[in-house]
Amino acid sequence: MPALTPNAIHALTETLADLTDYLRENPDPAEALALVEPLLDEYTGLPVQLADTLRALARAVQTHPDTPRTAELGLLVTELRIAASEQADQHTLHYVLDQLRALHGSSPASEQEG
């Protein structure tokens, strides 16, 4: 695995911003859903990955020998874990995509095409 850098992570967020800008241009719904689908995969999508990242960050900070053991640390680690849990709860968004695909596929325009 290549070394991770802040620039590499920043490139990922820029790609996400590009996707957001593209979606604001009102693309074809089928194309929009296909582009967003990897972000909301129930096992590897953004909610799951971000939750895992937040938990790993909490663990890394908490277990590092140079981290001061203070009440503030405990509160901050708890905040990270709560945020991770909230993110993980969003893993069901892939069902929303399925429902949107079904609606788009059964729209009057697609029924006329068939």
Side-chain angles (χ1 to χ4, degrees):
M1 179 169 105
L4 291 176
T5 65
N7 285 342
I9 304 305
H10 185 69
L12 293 173
T13 62
E14 284 180 1
T15 299
L16 188 57
D18 290 345
L19 173 61
T20 301
D21 290 343
Y22 175 75
L23 293 173
R24 288 181 178 141
E25 295 173 4
N26 298 319
D28 176 72
E31 184 177 342
L33 290 167
L35 289 171
V36 172
E37 185 174 11
L39 292 176
L40 298 179
D41 182 87
E42 72 180 301
Y43 301 110
T44 61
L46 192 56
V48 174
Q49 293 295 325
L50 184 55
D52 288 347
T53 299
L54 292 172
R55 282 189 209 96
L57 175 60
R59 185 173 41 258
V61 170
Q62 188 174 36
T63 61
H64 194 277
D66 293 339
T67 301
R69 306 293 184 241
T70 64
E72 183 180 17
L73 172 66
L75 292 173
L76 294 170
V77 166
T78 298
E79 284 188 45
L80 286 173
R81 290 185 175 143
I82 289 169
S85 179
E86 290 171 354
Q87 286 300 310
D89 288 346
Q90 300 302 313
H91 79 278
T92 59
L93 285 171
H94 71 278
Y95 292 123
V96 173
L97 290 183
D98 293 343
Q99 293 169 341
L100 286 170
R101 259 190 236 93
L103 282 174
H104 181 66
S106 64
S107 68
S110 64
E111 288 174 7
Q112 291 173 0
E113 291 172 6

